[in-house]
Amino acid sequence: MTTPTPTSPPSPSDPSDPSRSGAAPLVVTADETLRDELLRLAAAAGVVPEVVADPAAALRPWSRAPVVLVGGDLTPALAELAPDRRDGVHVVAWGPVDSSLFRAGLGVGAENVAELPRSEGWVVETLTDVGEAARGRGLVVGVVGGSGGAGATTLACALGQTAARHGETLVVDCDPLGPGLDRVLGLDATHGFRWDALCETTGRLSARALREALPRRGALGVLTWYAGSSATLQAFAVREALSAARRGHDAVVVDLPRVVDPLVDEVAARCDALLVVVTPSVAGVASAARLRARFEGRAAPTVVVRGRGLDERDVGRAVGAPVVATLPDQRGLDESIDLGLGPLRTHRSPLSRGCEALLEHLVGARAGGRAA
């Protein structure tokens, strides 16, 4: 066993275990000072643990708790009871500990011994994992233009605004040469982290930390670039951000650039649904067909038609992917964005109604376990 530090947390226990679904973390200690400190850290993590001060009483919730924190004061007594072996057991004690506590920790099947206050950050991260696991994995939708000027960025922002009516939503900007999704959504004056800062960080990123660090308006957050930035996407930062975004949001919409880039292809493959936005013209359909072929074997793209032109059935056949929505052009779109309202000025606009139906389709397709 090793003593964890805030910068090197151990892997959390498996949140997919159905026997632990919805259960509270378990704290086992009779030390009032330690108990109060662990309750404070749990509050910071957004969870409410079950606390027991009797080693024998800990045996009943022992197996169902997603994580168990055993105070150093009760570890020897609990070890004598030989509780069932399981993952996610940790000993927590004040200050430096001696070898006898490590031996007692082995008796309860502990993975490590955390020394407070040095490991406060690690305890919060461990308990935060519990809350994130209970939330479930958010829907991740990728949006890419089948041709230049197809309106992929507008659709990504409109879908984000629509999803935010139903739960926590994040719109992710993966195009460093785009207009900046914060500007499209009217969040450019809102303080918060951008890719430039995230690409300089290392280590695991918690869902809660990401959610609270980004520019937000209500339930809608955005991850984009600083104005005039020359930074580029870094693979490690993108993977951590997407993982944390999925754990901490009900929906994540990713605006993908039309560039040949292995990282963009990887992000597309991580999406639950990939929408190719197509203008229904001969040139637009031809360009979209080439882009669809690029994702062959990596993702299962579907088509969203923007505006009027060729019949949607002909568009689907030519592109080689099913059409899941046809969205009309909307008057006053540029004005709405210029006013800082985003693409959806009202819930009653044609684009808003179309996005609502599209989102309902995507959620239903995911729930049904089939491709959107």
Side-chain angles (χ1 to χ4, degrees):
M1 292 188 295
T2 59
T3 301
T5 66
T7 57
S8 182
S11 299
S13 57
D14 183 5
S16 63
D17 184 345
S19 68
R20 300 178 193 172
S21 177
L26 176 62
V27 171
V28 186
T29 181
D31 184 330
E32 293 185 1
T33 302
L34 180 60
R35 178 201 63 196
D36 291 345
E37 179 65 8
L38 290 177
L39 288 176
R40 181 184 70 82
L41 297 177
V47 298
V48 179
E50 179 178 357
V51 181
V52 297
D54 178 7
L59 298 179
R60 181 180 57 83
W62 181 266
S63 297
R64 70 169 182 266
V67 66
V68 180
L69 302 180
V70 183
D73 59 311
L74 294 185
T75 302
L78 187 59
E80 293 182 4
L81 299 177
D84 293 339
R85 297 292 172 168
R86 50 153 295 166
D87 296 330
V89 177
H90 312 281
V91 173
V92 184
W94 283 108
V97 299
D98 57 31
S99 58
S100 63
L101 186 57
F102 281 88
R103 288 193 296 269
L106 290 173
V108 300
E111 298 174 6
N112 40 54
V113 175
E115 300 174 353
L116 295 179
R118 187 164 72 97
S119 295
E120 282 187 356
W122 171 84
V123 172
V124 172
E125 287 293 323
T126 299
L127 293 173
T128 297
D129 284 335
V130 175
E132 292 173 3
R135 184 188 191 97
R137 299 167 72 250
L139 173 71
V140 180
V141 181
V143 183
V144 61
S147 61
T153 294
T154 299
L155 177 59
C157 291
L159 269 178
Q161 287 182 291
T162 302
R165 299 174 196 158
H166 306 282
E168 295 287 346
T169 301
L170 179 65
V171 183
V172 180
D173 188 352
C174 284
D175 187 359
L177 298 180
L181 298 191
D182 53 350
R183 293 169 187 80
V184 179
L185 290 167
L187 290 169
D188 47 313
T190 305
H191 294 293
F193 273 38
R194 267 69 171 177
W195 275 122
D196 314 64
L198 287 181
C199 286
E200 296 178 359
T201 62
T202 59
R204 184 182 182 281
L205 181 63
S206 79
R208 181 177 180 180
L210 178 69
R211 194 167 57 244
E212 294 179 350
L214 298 178
R216 305 192 69 82
R217 180 193 295 129
L220 180 63
V222 62
L223 174 55
T224 185
W225 311 83
Y226 288 112
S229 171
S230 60
T232 58
L233 289 175
Q234 303 297 317
F236 73 90
V238 173
R239 291 165 186 155
E240 274 300 314
L242 282 180
S243 176
R246 183 191 284 272
R247 296 193 310 270
H249 295 81
D250 300 293
V252 181
V253 184
V254 186
D255 185 24
L256 296 167
R258 296 185 68 256
V259 296
V260 178
D261 184 337
L263 182 56
V264 172
D265 293 347
E266 177 187 329
V267 173
R270 292 177 183 270
C271 295
D272 298 307
L274 179 62
L275 306 178
V276 179
V277 186
V278 179
T279 53
S281 64
V282 172
V285 168
S287 179
R290 291 191 175 205
L291 183 126
R292 195 276 311 162
R294 166 184 150 197
F295 293 110
E296 194 76 43
R298 298 189 182 95
T302 56
V303 171
V304 173
V305 178
R306 285 293 310 276
R308 296 180 178 180
L310 299 175
D311 183 85
E312 69 173 46
R313 290 169 295 184
D314 295 333
V315 172
R317 282 194 294 267
V319 175
V323 176
V324 294
T326 297
L327 301 179
D329 291 324
Q330 180 169 299
R331 288 181 297 177
L333 188 63
D334 290 340
E335 180 186 17
S336 179
I337 292 173
D338 290 344
L339 290 172
L341 302 174
L344 302 185
R345 192 168 186 172
T346 73
H347 297 347
R348 299 184 301 274
S349 68
L351 181 58
S352 179
R353 293 196 300 270
C355 286
E356 191 73 50
L358 175 57
L359 181 64
E360 182 178 350
H361 168 81
L362 295 173
V363 171
R366 186 197 190 202
R370 56 184 174 85

